[in-house]
Each structure stands twice: as structure tokens, then as C-alpha cells.
Amino acid sequence: GFILVILSRLQLFTENTITVLLPFLQKPSVRLLRQIARLWAVVLIANMVGTGASALLVNELPMVSPEHKAGMIEVAAHYLERSPLECLVQGIPGGLYIAAIVWMLPSAKGFEMFVIAAFTALMVIGGFTHVITGSAELFALVLEGRLEPFRAVGSMLLPVLVGNIIGGSGLFALLAYGQVHEEM
């Protein structure tokens, strides 16, 4: 999914957070903060609609075999074992890694797929979370009746979102700003 979204230059929530924060870090203002919030809201909602539609299609149509669908639900079930704090803390490196992918791609000519796959593998190995892929998993669990919608959003999705914002927008944007602030 990350390969498709990133190489297609579609907007992934933590992908566009860095570039929009650099001008704000250079010259903070309420107007810029409102514009950032509006952009984040539009991209996040659009991403949620996309992952929700994908989960609904997989759940309702014979797109995958019953065995594969059961496997997808079992992979997603790791969320059922996590506390809100774990979701938040594991979202910090998840946001940082996805932001790093986008920042590294211009230097990875010819190796873009490898960079995306490597960082995605790091996220899986570390058990880190991302609000967009996590939403697909959570929607699947909700549609299967294994998770209540309010718990999915309040105890899992929102903490991951906050963690991704801290890691992808906060930490990574500050690192990026440190590199480019003199050129700005």
C-alpha cells in the first residue's frame, strides 16, 4: 500500500506534514497554523475514506479468498492487545519513518521501491503504527464485529494519529528545518 500511494504521488497523511511545517517553523502565525490544520484535515479524511472503502470492499465482495480475509483479520488483531498509550508511543517512530521515506526519495533515484519497502519492513519489525494503515486494519476489525467503532477511534486511531504527528510532523520537521533553515 505504501509503495502504491507514495510512488503514485498520492497524498499520505504523514507524507505532506513536513513541507507545510517548514514555513510555519520559519515564521509562525495563526494563519499558517489554520492552513496547516485545514490541509491535514482534508488529507486525513480523504485517507480515511479510502481505507474505509477498501476495508468495506474486501469485507463485502469476494475480492480475496476466505482464508486470506481471515489472515488479514488476524494480522489486524494486534491492535486489540494494545493500550491507547502503546498506540501513541508506537505511532511516534511510525510517523518518523514515513516522513523519512518521503524526504529520502529524491536521493533514491532508481531505488525508491527498496527505500519504501525497507522502511515499511522496519515498521513491521518494530511493531510501530501508522494512522492510515492502522485505520484499514481497524475498519476491517470493526466490519468483522471484533471491535466497537468508538473504541477503534478513541482508544486506537486517535492515539496513533497523535503519535504520528509527534514523530512525523514534530520530530522530523524539526530535523528537516535544522537542515534547511538557512536556505529559507
Side-chain angles (χ1 to χ4, degrees), residues 84 138-139 142 147-159:
L138 293 170
F139 288 143
V142 168
L147 180 62
E148 306 81 35
F150 289 115
R151 181 172 172 229
V153 172
S155 297
M156 296 165 187
L157 203 58
L158 287 177

Side-chain angles (χ1 to χ4, degrees), residues 52-111:
S54 296
L56 187 62
L57 289 173
V58 168
N59 191 64
E60 300 299 323
L61 299 176
M63 297 181 87
V64 297
S65 69
E67 295 82 22
H68 283 111
K69 184 178 169 187
M72 293 164 77
I73 295 300
E74 286 311 307
V75 168
H78 68 92
Y79 270 103
L80 300 174
E81 302 163 5
R82 292 186 174 165
S83 71
L85 181 60
E86 288 172 315
C87 288
L88 183 141
V89 170
Q90 292 164 342
I92 294 171
L96 183 74
Y97 283 165
I98 298 306
I101 290 172
V102 176
W103 200 253
M104 291 174 59
L105 284 182
S107 302
K109 296 292 181 212
F111 295 94

